[in-house]
């Protein structure tokens, strides 16, 4: 669910409506958390008034994103209480909601699939693909379900050269994509069954 750009900016430019905007953002972000395997999490926008002497170009409020990740756990600032994978999925949810109101940029998600698999990983891949319709998205992943949704695939590999470790980035063509996703599914020995499963994943991930 996108928060429309015109609505977003009209709200935040009027200070009295910031609380209303915060509630709207909370509602939409929390709706995205369950399919991202954060069903017990609760996202909240905290708005505090500054002392008048601290007013600046950003206004008279300070705003922070808070989250409670599990029932009964303490609420905290989103970047302080979340693991890497949790933080990536939380920010994916936030960016999905705000995609239409953001300036065009590149978003990088590292290990957004940490701790998930199967249908949940596919849901993450689908949402990343949706986000990439408006913003360039770069995702580092070990999940074939997530990788299958990418429009362009880059394989990162390391090798030793003259006593040093060299990192190489290679763009994969269509056949190489299928082979790499099959390897992610099967491991060292790639079977025909893994290749067929990879082709099915790539087909489902095709826009």
């Amino acid at each position: 669910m996108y928060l429309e750009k015109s609505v977003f900016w009209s709200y935040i430019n009027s200070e009295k409506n910031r609380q209303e905007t915060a509630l709207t953002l909370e509602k939409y972000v929390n709706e995205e958390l369950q399919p991202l395997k954060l069903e017990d999490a609760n996202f909240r926008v905290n708005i505090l008034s500054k002392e008048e002497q601290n007013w600046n170009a950003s206004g008279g409020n300070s705003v922070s994103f808070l989250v409670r990740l599990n029932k009964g756990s303490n609420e905290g600032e989103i970047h302080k209480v979340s693991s890497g994978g949790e933080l990536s999925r939380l920010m994916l949810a936030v960016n999905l909601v705000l995609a239409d109101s953001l300036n065009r940029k590149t978003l990088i998600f590292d290990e957004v699939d940490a701790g998930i698999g199967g249908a949940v990983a596919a849901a993450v891949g689908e949402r990343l693909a949706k986000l990439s319709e408006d913003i360039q998205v770069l995702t580092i992943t070990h999940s074939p379900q997530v990788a299958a949704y990418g429009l362009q695939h880059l394989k990162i590999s390391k090798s030793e050269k003259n006593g040093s470790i060299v990192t190489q980035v290679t763009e994969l063509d269509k056949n190489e994509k299928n082979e790499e996703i099959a390897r992610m599914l099967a491991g060292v020995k790639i079977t025909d069954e893994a290749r067929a499963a990879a082709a099915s994943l790539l087909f489902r991930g095709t826009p």
Side-chain angles (χ1 to χ4, degrees):
M1 175 67 72
Y2 284 166
L3 188 60
E4 293 182 10
K5 188 172 185 177
S6 59
V7 175
F8 178 79
W9 286 111
S10 66
Y11 276 162
I12 67 168
N13 287 330
S14 176
E15 188 163 341
K16 68 179 182 180
N17 287 325
R18 287 181 180 176
Q19 290 289 351
E20 184 179 347
T21 307
L23 292 174
T24 303
L25 179 59
E26 289 172 7
K27 176 180 181 293
Y28 288 160
V29 170
N30 282 314
E31 287 176 355
E32 286 289 343
L33 297 184
Q34 184 169 359
L36 294 176
K37 204 179 178 183
L38 293 167
E39 55 275 343
D40 291 329
N42 184 71
F43 171 84
R44 186 169 69 86
V45 181
N46 189 39
I47 301 178
L48 298 175
S49 296
K50 299 177 183 176
E51 295 293 334
E52 187 171 349
Q53 64 268 24
N54 295 324
W55 292 1
N56 54 28
S58 299
N61 300 125
S62 63
V63 180
S64 57
F65 289 168
L66 304 179
V67 67
R68 185 203 68 219
L69 288 168
N70 299 291
K71 293 178 180 178
S73 65
N74 294 326
E75 183 182 67
E77 292 185 50
I78 195 170
H79 63 288
K80 292 183 178 179
V81 300
S82 309
S83 67
E86 289 167 339
L87 182 59
S88 290
R89 279 178 279 157
L90 286 163
M91 295 315 298
L92 172 57
V94 171
N95 281 292
L96 279 166
V97 173
L98 295 180
D100 194 48
S101 64
L102 296 172
N103 293 326
R104 296 298 179 255
K105 59 181 71 177
T106 298
L107 295 178
I108 301 174
F109 292 94
D110 185 10
E111 305 291 347
V112 69
D113 50 71
I116 62 173
V120 178
V124 169
E126 183 179 6
R127 281 158 175 77
L128 286 166
K130 179 66 176 176
L131 184 59
S132 71
E133 294 175 4
D134 298 285
I135 298 172
Q136 180 173 268
V137 176
L138 177 63
T139 303
I140 301 168
T141 181
H142 294 286
S143 168
Q145 290 89 351
V146 173
Y149 278 89
L151 294 177
Q152 182 182 31
H153 292 72
L154 304 174
K155 180 180 179 180
I156 301 173
S157 57
K158 292 183 179 181
S159 59
E160 185 176 345
K161 185 176 181 179
N162 299 326
S164 299
I165 300 299
V166 178
T167 300
Q168 184 174 7
V169 180
T170 307
E171 183 176 3
L172 304 182
D173 62 24
K174 183 178 179 180
N175 291 331
E176 290 169 334
K177 288 178 189 179
N178 195 91
E179 194 73 2
E180 181 60 19
I181 290 179
R183 184 195 63 77
M184 294 169 75
L185 286 165
V188 177
K189 184 177 180 180
I190 302 175
T191 63
D192 290 340
E193 290 79 6
R195 291 186 176 95
S200 177
L201 284 176
L202 284 166
F203 178 77
R204 290 204 300 271
T206 302

